[in-house]
Amino acid sequence: MRRLLAVLAAGVPLAAAVYLPTASAEPRTSATAPHGCTTTSVKAPSGTRVESVTAVRQEGGTVHGSGILGGTVTGVPAYCEVTVTLTHPGDGDHARIRTWLPVTGWNGRLQALGGAAFSAGDNGAGLATAVKNGYAATTTDAGVGDALDVGWALNGQGQVNTALLKNFASRSQHEAALVGKEVVDAVYGRPASYSYFTGCSTGGRQGYMEAQRYPDDYDGILADAPAVNWNRYELATLWPQVVMNNEKTYVAGCKLEAFTAAAVNACDTLDGARDGLVDDASRCDFDPRRLIGTKVLCEGKELTVTAADAAVVRKIWDGPRTASGRKLWSGVPVGADLKGLAGTAPDADGNLKGAPFQVPAHWTASWVKKDPSFDVSTITYGQFTELFQQAVAEYGDLMDTDDPDLSAFRMSGGKLLTWHGQADQYIPPQGTVDYHRRVVRETGSAKKVDDFYRLFLAPNTDHCGLDGKDGSADGLAALTAWVEHGKAPRTLPATLVNAEGKQLDRNLCAYPEVSRYRGHGDPSLATSFRCVLPSRH
């Protein structure tokens, strides 16, 4: 997952890199092998027509992920690759569903993989990881492009391509579930015993969409850092640029880092221990004005934090508001890397200018304004409110996955597990927290929700960050134990990385509980903390 940072360093930011769940759930021994990697007939899901079906045996080895996200997976066993291309008659689309099936050692499970940014599915690296861990795996490209490819947004008449947007929003994921299961049954001669969906960011949004709209598709859904409330959060992630442009103040990256470091230091002991982590970042009320006058070393130059700098950071942390002060959405969480959304770059004269995050910039220009050449740096505070309201009104029903009614998913026996980094620089975790609260209200009690849906917040963890390099958590193992053995996860064991870069073991608490230091013991060990309700914190 940390490929995201590599891509950012190259100047190409994304909402999320390829999501590779650890998938260390103990596989069941199985001698089942494909009857033969040959083309099989596939029943077209309702409203579609099958254009083609191909089957190719792949010898495995090293698999390279395609597109801008790339990625390399080694030691991949031989697998059968079945590709089914669907079209929706009259729409002119061509959605490709790929299913990879290990030739030997199949664990009896199907894992579907979600996408990243504007890609609807996996680029091959996630499929390879799933196969390496014994899963049959499936994904769809929904007929759209790579992670930053938005050329499909508008048709030749400059109108939104609603067919492809519907594919991207929901229907292609559901069709992949149906086709993937059918291919597994045809190739192995028996259906998968359990089916799972895994994804982060865009993939997390897709997971929530599945639970809300197609509750019978999967037994378990691992949907991390989910882009729920798509239209609200997408526009909200432009807010830092809107603030800098309107205030005519562009804060250097080193100053932004100083604000974050000061906030983390000030709120470190909220959990009872000075451990370099801010637990429950929403309770951190550090005032950026405390840094006014502070000297910061930036690339050999000493800069002074100004009142204008502090005012900009305060607005960014607070989040977008209307001219009358009504809050529209959450801001960048305290402790998150402000450079993700408040990025800057020098112009030809060496003066700092805003460098907007490409995902919300593309969404605003191509879908909301319907003009790919639209310059988002021209947006005033008043225009921002108008665009925000327009996006919600125009695309809310199609793109948002914030329906709190999960009764059908609950009745189907499905389980939904989510972790979200409290230092997520791209998708504010408060949106996920708010959704969970609304599900509790809709369902009637927290206890009922705990039976099928659990949320874990990870301190000092950035967007899709628990990937095994800058922290880790085996959400898929926890999910399979819950689905297959009824072992609901009260905590989610994780390795976190604190502000000093030190690895710490923690048991992430199931929301609404938070972590609290016991008052004794090594702060780097999970056993030194317990989970308590915030009222006792």
Side-chain angles (χ1 to χ4, degrees):
M1 177 57 67
R2 301 308 338 124
R3 277 190 297 281
L4 169 60
L5 292 184
V7 174
L8 283 169
V12 189
L14 298 175
V18 179
Y19 182 53
L20 306 179
T22 307
S24 66
E26 184 177 332
R28 290 167 293 158
T29 302
S30 173
T32 303
H35 288 177
C37 192
T38 58
T39 302
T40 182
S41 61
V42 173
K43 180 182 177 182
S46 177
T48 74
R49 176 171 57 83
V50 176
E51 290 190 310
S52 65
V53 180
T54 63
V56 179
R57 179 187 166 105
Q58 305 286 3
E59 293 308 315
T62 298
V63 174
H64 299 285
S66 63
I68 195 171
L69 296 174
T72 300
V73 182
T74 60
V76 180
Y79 59 94
C80 178
E81 180 175 14
V82 178
T83 303
V84 178
T85 303
L86 302 178
T87 187
H88 298 85
D91 286 346
D93 61 335
H94 311 281
R96 185 179 60 151
I97 299 167
R98 291 183 295 160
T99 305
W100 292 11
L101 308 101
V103 171
T104 59
W106 179 44
N107 64 18
R109 304 178 180 106
L110 171 67
Q111 180 185 157
L113 296 104
F118 293 108
S119 65
D122 183 69
N123 73 341
L127 290 168
T129 300
V131 166
K132 186 175 178 178
N133 284 289
Y135 288 80
T138 193
T139 198
T140 177
D141 66 7
V144 300
D146 199 20
L148 287 180
D149 177 8
V150 297
W152 55 272
L154 306 177
N155 59 25
Q157 289 72 48
Q159 301 169 327
V160 172
N161 191 323
T162 55
L164 290 181
L165 190 57
K166 286 179 182 178
N167 285 2
F168 177 72
S170 61
R171 65 179 178 180
S172 285
Q173 289 299 330
H174 172 56
E175 290 156 5
L178 300 178
V179 170
K181 290 178 181 179
E182 187 178 353
V183 169
V184 166
D185 194 359
V187 172
Y188 286 119
R190 68 177 180 89
S193 299
Y194 297 98
S195 298
Y196 297 93
F197 181 92
T198 60
C200 193
S201 192
T202 287
R205 181 196 68 80
Q206 293 164 333
Y208 274 67
M209 178 278 299
E210 281 286 336
Q212 293 165 23
R213 304 185 191 183
Y214 304 103
D216 297 320
D217 277 356
Y218 296 103
D219 301 296
I221 295 173
L222 178 63
D224 301 323
V228 293
N229 309 288
W230 175 275
N231 295 289
R232 292 171 173 83
Y233 113 81
E234 282 287 6
L235 269 294
T237 49
L238 265 186
W239 178 250
Q241 295 291 321
V242 173
V243 170
M244 291 193 298
N245 289 326
N246 281 268
E247 301 299 327
K248 301 294 189 290
T249 300
Y250 301 93
V251 187
C254 53
K255 288 185 179 181
L256 295 176
E257 291 171 353
F259 280 108
T260 299
V264 170
N265 183 64
C267 298
D268 188 353
T269 56
L270 285 175
D271 61 359
R274 183 159 291 284
D275 53 6
L277 298 176
V278 178
D279 194 274
D280 195 5
S282 65
R283 294 177 61 235
C284 182
D285 58 359
F286 176 78
D287 189 337
R289 290 175 295 189
R290 290 169 57 180
L291 254 62
I292 295 174
T294 301
K295 305 292 184 181
V296 179
L297 192 63
C298 291
E299 298 180 355
K301 298 179 181 179
E302 190 176 72
L303 303 181
T304 302
V305 175
T306 66
D309 294 332
V312 164
V313 170
R314 194 178 187 192
K315 283 179 175 287
I316 292 172
W317 276 343
D318 180 55
R321 291 182 182 271
T322 65
S324 63
R326 181 171 62 87
K327 195 172 183 65
L328 294 171
W329 201 244
S330 301
V332 176
V334 172
D337 183 0
L338 288 164
K339 300 189 302 298
L341 298 180
T344 57
D347 62 14
D349 298 322
N351 300 313
L352 285 183
K353 294 295 181 184
F357 183 40
Q358 294 183 46
V359 176
H362 282 322
W363 177 256
T364 302
S366 292
W367 278 274
V368 183
K369 291 293 291 184
K370 302 170 185 62
D371 177 9
S373 65
F374 175 71
D375 183 358
V376 296
S377 71
T378 64
I379 299 173
T380 65
Y381 285 134
Q383 289 170 334
F384 178 86
T385 298
E386 293 174 358
L387 290 169
F388 188 95
Q389 294 170 339
Q390 178 191 341
V392 172
E394 193 167 352
Y395 298 108
D397 290 343
L398 181 61
M399 288 299 302
D400 283 346
T401 50
D402 58 354
D403 182 355
D405 183 1
L406 294 178
S407 57
F409 184 71
R410 179 188 176 207
M411 292 299 294
S412 74
K415 308 298 182 188
L416 172 59
L417 189 152
T418 292
W419 56 254
H420 202 143
Q422 294 200 51
D424 192 321
Q425 70 274 46
Y426 296 124
I427 300 180
Q430 284 306 112
T432 306
V433 169
D434 176 69
Y435 176 79
H436 186 276
R437 289 172 178 166
R438 292 192 296 114
V439 173
V440 170
R441 289 197 297 268
E442 177 75 22
T443 307
S445 75
K447 186 179 185 302
K448 289 181 180 178
V449 173
D450 279 349
D451 288 341
F452 70 94
Y453 172 30
R454 298 202 176 191
L455 167 64
F456 300 86
L457 300 179
N460 205 53
T461 300
D462 62 9
H463 187 57
C464 296
L466 296 181
D467 68 344
K469 292 183 180 178
D470 289 343
S472 62
D474 199 340
L476 190 53
L479 181 62
T480 54
W482 193 8
V483 168
E484 299 174 23
H485 305 292
K487 297 179 180 179
R490 181 172 180 267
T491 62
L492 184 63
T495 298
L496 306 179
V497 179
N498 70 6
E500 291 76 43
K502 180 181 178 181
Q503 288 193 345
L504 309 175
D505 291 332
R506 286 289 185 275
N507 290 323
L508 305 184
C509 302
Y511 182 83
E513 291 189 327
V514 295
S515 182
R516 175 72 175 177
Y517 184 54
R518 295 180 183 274
H520 55 83
D522 185 347
S524 68
L525 301 179
T527 53
S528 299
F529 293 79
R530 69 186 190 276
C531 293
V532 300
L533 290 172
S535 59
R536 294 173 54 198
H537 193 253

